[in-house]
């Protein structure tokens, strides 16, 4: 098997594994109450990232590399694996942290609000975003450039599998970290772990509908693979608890935005009474509202 085939097989196993645990733990049945609108958005965005956005970034960067700098193709292929991982963590994961953080400003919020409009947490939410959120994501294009420079093989495949494992786990309805917090002998391990990678407790807080309970922290906890970026850049909030409710208060007040407005803004714009998904629209700033400013 090639590295890409091994990567795809492991990714599939990871998705199936978390999906199984969501059902076995009964967390999916008890907490995920998705509408047809939710399902269309999540399914189409998952397919678009898999079949359009990521392949397009790899294809375009390869073509531009061959056109502009053909002498650099594969030039970094002999870099040690730990060096490649370090570069990927900076140019892929750290840049995604900052892209995510910037997406909580009023300017970029319309491209990211779909991710927060889900009123539940589940692995199905992982790729729930606007189409252009991923198309414009710097880390995706940096990754394409690094592949052209020689960051292929099992190192890149392993990185992708580990990153997706952590991200799926952070969104999962099955809160895998919850029972581990109750084991006293694991407290030091969990102290380190929750400051290193994203966990359900820290990432669910980011999806909270409100900060009023001291658990929610939608203006922080932006990390994807590494939560360490939140520690370094001062946006971390750790409570080992989970918010009572996730989602957006404006959806509660004015109704859920249609999937096609969430996915295709600014090409398609909402006509809802109050919306950020139209030119001249604004972010809802009610007393309990989710103000996305970082």
């Amino acid at each position: 098997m090639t590295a890409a085939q091994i990567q795809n097989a492991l990714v599939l196993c990871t998705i199936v594994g978390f999906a199984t645990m969501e059902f076995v733990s009964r967390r999916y049945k008890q907490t995920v109450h998705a509408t047809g609108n939710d399902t269309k958005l999540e399914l189409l965005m998952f397919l678009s990232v898999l079949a359009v956005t990521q392949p397009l970034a790899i294809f375009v960067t390869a073509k531009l590399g061959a056109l502009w700098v053909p002498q650099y193709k594969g030039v970094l292929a002999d870099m040690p694996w730990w060096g490649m991982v370090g570069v990927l963590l900076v140019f892929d994961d750290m840049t995604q942290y900052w892209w995510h953080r910037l997406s909580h400003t009023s300017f970029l919020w319309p491209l990211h609000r779909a991710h927060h409009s889900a009123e539940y947490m589940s692995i199905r939410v992982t790729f729930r975003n606007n189409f252009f959120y991923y198309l414009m994501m710097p880390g995706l294009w940096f990754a394409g450039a690094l592949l052209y420079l020689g960051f292929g093989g099992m190192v890149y495949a392993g990185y992708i599998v580990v990153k997706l494992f952590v991200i799926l786990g952070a969104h999962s309805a099955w809160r895998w970290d919850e029972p581990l917090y109750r084991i006293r002998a694991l407290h030091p391990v969990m102290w380190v772990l929750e400051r290193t990678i994203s966990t359900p407790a820290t990432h669910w807080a980011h999806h909270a509908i409100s900060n009023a309970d001291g658990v929610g922290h939608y203006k922080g906890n932006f990390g994807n693979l590494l939560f360490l970026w939140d520690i370094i850049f001062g946006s971390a909030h750790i409570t080992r608890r989970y918010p009572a409710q996730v989602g957006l208060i404006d959806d509660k007040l004015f109704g859920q935005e249609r999937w096609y407005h969430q996915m295709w803004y600014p090409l398609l714009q909402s006509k809802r009474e109050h919306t950020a998904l139209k030119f001249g629209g604004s972010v809802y700033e009610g007393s309990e509202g989710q103000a996305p400013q970082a």
Side-chain angles (χ1 to χ4, degrees), residues 234-283:
S235 54
H237 181 61
I238 301 173
T239 66
R240 297 190 175 185
R241 293 184 290 157
Y242 310 86
Q245 193 173 14
V246 298
L248 296 172
I249 192 66
D250 52 312
D251 282 356
K252 293 284 190 183
L253 296 175
F254 306 107
Q256 191 179 52
E257 296 277 19
R258 302 307 300 163
W259 70 266
Y260 41 84
H261 294 139
Q262 297 187 73
M263 180 173 177
W264 292 113
Y265 173 87
L267 299 183
L268 299 178
Q269 299 186 35
S270 174
K271 296 180 180 179
R272 200 179 71 174
E273 177 185 351
H274 186 290
T275 182
L277 300 182
K278 70 177 181 181
F279 294 142
S282 59
V283 178

Side-chain angles (χ1 to χ4, degrees), residues 118-180:
E119 297 179 1
Y120 47 84
M121 293 299 289
S122 168
I123 60 170
R124 57 184 289 163
V125 176
T126 304
F127 295 102
R128 177 180 172 136
N129 263 301
N130 179 280
F131 177 82
F132 299 102
Y133 176 84
Y134 287 114
L135 188 64
M136 297 167 59
M137 183 183 289
L140 201 61
W141 295 90
F142 279 129
L146 291 172
L147 284 171
Y148 177 77
L149 295 174
F151 279 49
M154 288 305 300
V155 174
Y156 184 74
Y159 172 81
I160 291 298
V161 170
V162 170
K163 181 170 182 175
L164 188 61
F165 184 91
V166 171
I167 295 175
L168 288 169
H171 288 90
S172 177
W174 170 54
R175 303 190 300 212
W176 61 263
D177 56 343
E178 190 171 25
L180 302 181

Side-chain angles (χ1 to χ4, degrees), residues 33-44:
H33 307 293
T35 65
N37 193 62
D38 292 314
T39 299
K40 290 173 185 175
L41 174 61
E42 291 159 0
L43 179 60
L44 290 173

